[in-house]
Amino acid sequence: MQVHRSIQSLRAALGGASHVGFAPTMGNLHAGHVSLMRTLRSQAKTVVASVFVNRTQFGPNEDFDAYPRTFEADCAALEAAGVNHLFAPNEAELYPTPQQYFVEPAPAHDRLLEGALRPGHFRGVATVVSKLFNIVQPDVAAFGKKDYQQLMVIRNMVREMNFPITIIGCEIVRADDGLALSSRNGYLSATERAEAPRLQQTLQQLVTEIHAGRQDYTTLESEACTVLAANGWQPDYVTVRSQADLQPASAGEKLVVLAAARLGRTRLIDNIEID
Ligand code: PAF
């Protein structure tokens, strides 16, 4: 695997490459990221990953400084997953001057759920992903479904901005006890880690109720929040939405249940698609 710190070096190495697959990351890689790389390995000739902790998608009181940086371990994981090129720029390389042009997601996709709670987050994501797409020029790019709203924003951005890129959504990878893998799981204390699978269990219970025919989604959502709160969580939302646009669920649509909740100082998100 070649490691590139500059855009020039990456572009020179990729010149003329066909069937390029790309997965952007912020590092601190886990099996979920590795599954993105393996998916790309099976679909592309050349696989490119990036590691860049993108300041513009963090709010002023969020964990940009604390975000775990584990570059050596990340390199080993990417190499083992068959990645050919790693792009790992510093901030001056990707943002040589203060960024004044941004990619603004549609308000209908931005001003709900994560976007409502983290103003500017998806603008930062859409902007850095656009920059990375322009630098790497992949044919296919992979994103995890754990960040469900992010995947929706990227899919719509790619379609509306005419990026010639196929977007693949990869399934959530979970620990044996059901907790969705996340770089932020490392913030959990041992006691919190033991409690953390409840988020997925609560969503799973909601799915079971919906499969059993319940359609009183508002009641189901508030029951789920009550369960979480009774076990020491501070829920931001538990909600049943349309898979396509994350608007409140209505009849005949494919649904997804999503949750975001704080356990101690760690904010976790998860979701389950309903077939
Ligand atoms: O999902 C992430 O890790 C980030 O939001 C991404 C897509 C790498 C952009 O910084």
Side-chain angles (χ1 to χ4, degrees):
M1 182 178 77
Q2 291 178 32
V3 179
H4 306 274
R5 295 291 188 177
S6 72
I7 296 169
Q8 192 189 25
S9 159
L10 180 74
R11 282 196 170 142
L14 289 180
S18 61
H19 297 109
V20 174
F22 175 52
T25 81
M26 297 204 300
N28 194 231
L29 304 182
H30 49 67
H33 296 109
V34 170
S35 87
L36 305 182
M37 307 305 160
R38 293 207 192 284
T39 300
L40 291 170
R41 190 59 287 157
S42 69
Q43 306 225 355
K45 267 197 204 145
T46 303
V47 178
V48 182
S50 63
V51 169
F52 180 71
V53 185
N54 177 44
R55 191 187 290 273
T56 67
Q57 70 189 73
F58 287 79
N61 299 317
E62 293 185 354
D63 57 344
F64 173 77
D65 290 327
Y67 200 85
R69 279 123 170 123
T70 53
F71 190 67
E72 299 305 320
D74 293 345
C75 286
L78 293 172
E79 179 118 50
V83 170
N84 305 105
H85 299 275
L86 168 59
F87 180 48
N90 62 18
E91 286 193 281
E93 181 68 10
L94 215 49
Y95 294 105
T97 54
Q99 189 79 13
Q100 297 187 73
Y101 286 68
F102 291 89
V103 178
E104 203 67 67
H109 294 159
D110 189 26
R111 293 196 192 142
L112 70 170
L113 306 178
E114 291 304 293
L117 290 155
R118 305 180 65 191
H121 171 67
F122 288 119
R123 176 195 209 233
V125 169
T127 301
V128 79
V129 170
S130 302
K131 285 163 79 81
L132 292 166
F133 280 173
N134 284 328
I135 292 164
V136 177
Q137 303 199 350
D139 300 286
V140 54
F143 293 82
K145 286 191 185 177
K146 190 173 85 63
D147 294 300
Y148 206 84
Q149 191 173 0
Q150 168 172 283
L151 177 59
M152 177 191 70
V153 166
I154 302 290
R155 280 193 195 287
N156 282 282
M157 176 188 84
V158 160
R159 186 174 48 77
E160 290 204 1
M161 305 300 279
N162 304 95
F163 282 104
I165 302 171
T166 302
I167 301 298
I168 306 176
C170 295
E171 296 305 324
I172 295 175
V173 178
R174 298 183 181 280
D176 289 345
D177 59 9
L179 177 65
L181 298 190
S182 162
S183 300
R184 291 188 168 99
N185 291 350
Y187 297 154
L188 297 167
S189 69
T191 318
E192 290 165 349
R193 176 63 190 81
E195 170 60 24
R198 192 181 307 277
L199 193 62
Q200 184 261 350
Q201 289 157 9
T202 305
L203 287 174
Q204 193 54 59
Q205 179 60 31
L206 234 160
V207 172
T208 304
E209 305 271 5
I210 292 171
H211 275 149
R214 278 186 69 176
Q215 292 187 347
D216 51 338
Y217 300 140
T218 311
T219 309
L220 284 171
E221 291 165 1
S222 84
E223 283 171 6
C225 285
T226 303
V227 169
L228 289 172
N231 286 281
W233 296 72
Q234 290 170 275
D236 281 338
Y237 57 81
V238 178
T239 187
V240 186
R241 298 282 167 137
S242 135
Q243 285 185 18
D245 56 10
L246 293 180
Q247 297 304 312
S250 50
E253 286 176 325
K254 285 191 150 198
L255 303 180
V256 55
V257 291
L258 307 105
R262 227 170 260 285
L263 189 55
R265 65 186 185 107
T266 309
R267 186 170 183 276
L268 300 177
I269 60 171
D270 201 351
N271 66 79
I272 301 178
E273 287 179 323
I274 304 180
D275 302 325

